[in-house]
Amino acid sequence: MHSSLKTTFFDLLPSVHFASMRWEHHDWQELSIRTNELLPVRSRQDSGVMITIFDKGGMGYGSTSDLSEKGIKNAIDQAYRWASLSRDKFIFDSTQLKMPKEISTYQSNVKQAWRSVDLKTKLDYLRSVYDGVTDPDVVDCQASLWHHRLQKTVIATNQSEQISDYELMLPQLSVTVAKGSESQTRTFGGHAYTQQGGFERFAELGFTPDMAQTVADEARELLAAPNCPEESMDVLVAPDQMVLQIHESIGHPLELDRILGDERNFAGTSFVSLDMFGKFQYGSHLLNITYDPTIDTQVASYPVDDDGLRAQKTHVIKDGLLVRPLGGGISQQRAGGISGVANSRSTHWNRPPIDRMANLNLEPGDASLDQLIGQVDRGIYVKTNCSWSIDDSRNKFQFGCEWARLIENGELTNVVKNPGYRGISASFWRSLKAVGDRSTFEIMGTPNCGKGEPNQAIHVGHASPACLFADVQVFGGGSLGRARLFLYVSR
């Protein structure tokens, strides 16, 4: 943020209880290849500010991409007008808000900045990964490099100031093979390797030509595999599927604004209520879920959230017990002072902060992958989400995966296709019987978790080891096809 913007903001601001200005500059670029054709390079940049005002019990926002004095004044006037109009109608008394005062700076750990690498080098690198697929049965192959740089400054009348510079990267590859009327698709990491860092992160994550052929081989192997059986059995879930499991059946139901009813119109409610915290056994004693903003490569690591609350690693579920929601400072005060986390986040300069998942991780246990497999008499090992369906209270779910292998008498045996499993959130987590150690732990994330009205798609991090669950309803084949149809219709 230019110093002139700060001066303009404070010079034009009327006397109010509290006000802040958030400036953001976004720089996106995506390079893609599909079916051996380079797609048009997609690039976009924009900048703007969001003004927030609390005054006399009301609250209002104003945003603009016009960073002139006139533009800033119009945004301030808009925020002040909405604060005035909401004074007698607001859901809580904003004069009681205690906004934190924090001064911080943050920058992603970048060795080779995206923009420092010329376009030809980036395209040659992408082409080298794409050309690593040589399987003759491939009917579709897509590969891309996605980059997002976000520069942000937040200033407030309580003398808070946060300056941040994030670089986010996502490598993506999917391969579809077909014979006759059947096809199977495998993806690299389930499109869930969004991380912070520079161009160097692509190779560090294994986005290489050798990886591409492995993905193609697994897709071709699925074509010849039998359908997943339908029965109750142990399920060993790989980290790239645990991302989805944590996200949907822990992350969303624990968002405090959802619990308070804010998301009811758009994304549903939650089976969790305020009186459950400190009392409800969400999972087995092996379940430890943390909000963790401290892993530098994870996509949602930061020192302070958009409302100025200091971010610190803390448990939201400890030894299976539900201990705190995913709620920022404003939601915490609305909920009577319940302890939450620093996760009030916005996706863009023209969106207000709301309670969002950030880095929500499942802490490692003490079992190697071989030890997890070795304790299973009859079960299945599943990887990579391909369909998800969960009710609007984030309770009953059924998820489909791309790839699976049966586990029989403590050993991995046959590959099976179209695997799926279903359950009820708390019952499923209470069936957690073993947690993988650090050697099975992977840091992952997604760039496009959607929430809010108007919608906000934001980056969310999840890290997890492999996890073993007992007596889960598993299904496949035609049953998974019906699940996918239900998902399509319900969305």
Side-chain angles (χ1 to χ4, degrees):
M1 181 190 292
H2 298 295
S3 59
S4 60
L5 274 180
K6 300 179 185 179
T7 301
T8 300
F9 171 64
F10 287 116
D11 285 349
L12 296 176
L13 188 68
S15 177
V16 294
H17 174 65
F18 174 86
S20 67
M21 179 168 69
R22 187 181 77 250
W23 169 85
E24 295 183 9
H25 176 74
H26 294 262
D27 180 359
W28 289 274
Q29 188 170 65
E30 185 173 7
L31 312 178
S32 302
I33 295 176
R34 184 173 186 180
T35 58
N36 213 31
E37 295 291 334
L38 177 65
L39 301 181
V41 175
R42 300 173 62 188
S43 296
R44 179 163 63 96
Q45 296 186 30
D46 71 6
S47 301
V49 298
M50 167 72 78
I51 308 293
T52 302
I53 290 178
F54 300 121
D55 193 50
K56 298 177 183 177
M59 179 180 183
Y61 298 107
S63 64
T64 183
S65 60
D66 179 0
L67 302 184
S68 68
E69 182 174 316
K70 180 181 178 180
I72 300 300
K73 185 178 187 307
N74 287 339
I76 290 173
D77 289 346
Q78 183 184 50
Y80 186 78
R81 178 172 178 269
W82 281 115
S84 300
L85 290 171
S86 66
R87 283 172 186 164
D88 300 325
K89 306 173 182 65
F90 209 57
I91 55 177
F92 68 102
D93 184 359
S94 68
T95 62
Q96 302 303 309
L97 285 175
K98 298 177 181 178
M99 302 301 288
K101 176 184 175 181
E102 289 285 351
I103 298 174
S104 69
T105 59
Y106 179 84
Q107 185 168 15
S108 296
N109 184 9
V110 174
K111 300 173 186 174
Q112 189 176 22
W114 173 265
R115 289 293 185 182
S116 73
V117 182
D118 65 85
L119 182 60
K120 182 179 184 303
T121 299
K122 288 183 281 198
L123 291 173
D124 287 346
Y125 181 88
L126 180 61
R127 173 65 73 180
S128 73
V129 174
Y130 184 94
D131 289 344
V133 178
T134 60
D135 196 302
D137 294 327
V138 171
V139 294
D140 187 36
C141 182
Q142 304 177 53
S144 67
L145 304 176
W146 175 90
H147 167 264
H148 177 200
R149 183 180 182 189
L150 167 59
Q151 297 166 281
K152 179 190 301 187
T153 300
V154 183
I155 58 174
T157 53
N158 66 351
Q159 299 182 315
S160 282
E161 180 170 296
Q162 298 93 44
I163 301 172
S164 304
D165 189 348
Y166 305 94
E167 289 214 37
L168 314 178
M169 320 294 291
L170 174 61
Q172 298 182 91
L173 181 132
S174 66
V175 180
T176 300
V177 299
K179 280 189 177 180
S181 61
E182 185 178 0
S183 65
Q184 290 289 330
T185 299
R186 284 291 282 134
T187 62
F188 172 65
H191 301 311
Y193 272 129
T194 311
Q195 294 198 2
Q196 289 191 55
F199 188 75
E200 73 282 349
R201 292 299 297 147
F202 294 118
E204 291 171 359
L205 288 168
F207 195 66
T208 63
D210 291 341
M211 171 278 302
Q213 187 57 53
T214 298
V215 171
D217 289 344
E218 289 185 357
R220 181 166 47 82
E221 186 179 29
L222 286 170
L223 277 178
N227 276 316
C228 175
E230 185 163 353
E231 60 184 270
S232 291
M233 62 175 76
D234 287 357
V235 174
L236 177 57
V237 184
D240 67 352
Q241 173 62 18
M242 287 298 298
V243 169
L244 188 280
Q245 188 69 57
I246 295 167
H247 186 94
E248 297 291 353
S249 67
I250 291 181
H252 279 310
L254 295 193
E255 289 169 332
L256 186 51
D257 58 354
R258 181 187 296 268
I259 295 170
L260 293 171
D262 293 1
E263 284 289 300
R264 196 172 294 146
N265 281 349
F266 177 64
T269 181
S270 173
F271 74 91
V272 175
S273 57
L274 290 177
D275 60 357
M276 290 182 179
F277 292 97
K279 303 175 183 176
F280 184 68
Q281 195 69 26
Y282 207 101
S284 80
H285 71 281
L286 298 173
L287 181 62
N288 286 284
I289 300 289
T290 58
Y291 159 81
D292 187 355
T294 67
I295 302 174
D296 66 350
T297 59
Q298 200 165 9
V299 69
S301 291
Y302 51 81
V304 178
D305 73 6
D306 284 347
D307 282 333
L309 189 62
R310 175 65 57 177
Q312 298 175 324
K313 181 177 179 179
T314 187
H315 278 81
V316 296
I317 298 174
K318 185 171 177 58
D319 300 329
L321 183 69
L322 181 61
V323 293
R324 70 179 62 216
L326 298 173
I330 293 177
S331 291
Q332 292 174 40
Q333 293 179 60
R334 285 176 55 195
I338 191 172
S339 294
V341 301
N343 70 324
S344 185
R345 306 166 60 211
S346 62
T347 189
H348 203 249
W349 55 263
N350 61 5
R351 296 290 187 267
I354 56 178
D355 292 340
R356 303 305 301 260
M357 278 176 276
N359 291 341
L360 189 66
N361 301 341
L362 197 153
E363 294 296 305
D366 57 7
S368 68
L369 186 62
D370 286 344
Q371 288 171 332
L372 292 170
I373 294 168
Q375 60 183 287
V376 177
D377 292 328
R378 173 71 175 171
I380 193 168
Y381 181 30
V382 297
K383 292 183 178 181
T384 318
N385 183 259
C386 65
S387 71
W388 64 98
S389 177
I390 191 165
D391 68 23
D392 62 3
S393 63
R394 302 290 162 165
N395 197 22
K396 298 178 182 178
F397 67 85
Q398 57 182 28
F399 300 145
C401 300
E402 287 182 0
W403 180 96
R405 283 184 75 175
L406 293 177
I407 306 173
E408 298 172 294
N409 300 318
E411 294 184 355
L412 290 172
T413 58
N414 298 326
V415 172
V416 293
K417 63 189 173 187
N418 303 324
Y421 64 98
R422 61 173 63 93
I424 297 173
S425 291
S427 298
F428 177 79
W429 289 108
R430 290 172 192 159
S431 74
L432 179 63
K433 64 184 289 188
V435 177
D437 61 16
R438 184 66 62 175
S439 70
T440 74
F441 187 79
E442 291 193 50
I443 298 169
M444 311 192 82
T446 176
N448 54 6
C449 172
K451 183 182 171 183
E453 294 183 283
N455 185 246
Q456 300 194 43
I458 204 167
H459 48 278
V460 176
H462 299 298
S464 176
C467 291
L468 180 62
F469 299 86
D471 196 26
V472 178
Q473 293 183 31
V474 173
F475 61 94
S479 297
L480 182 58
R482 289 191 294 275
R484 287 173 173 159
L485 177 60
F486 171 78
L487 171 67
Y488 176 80
V489 173
S490 65
R491 290 181 69 190

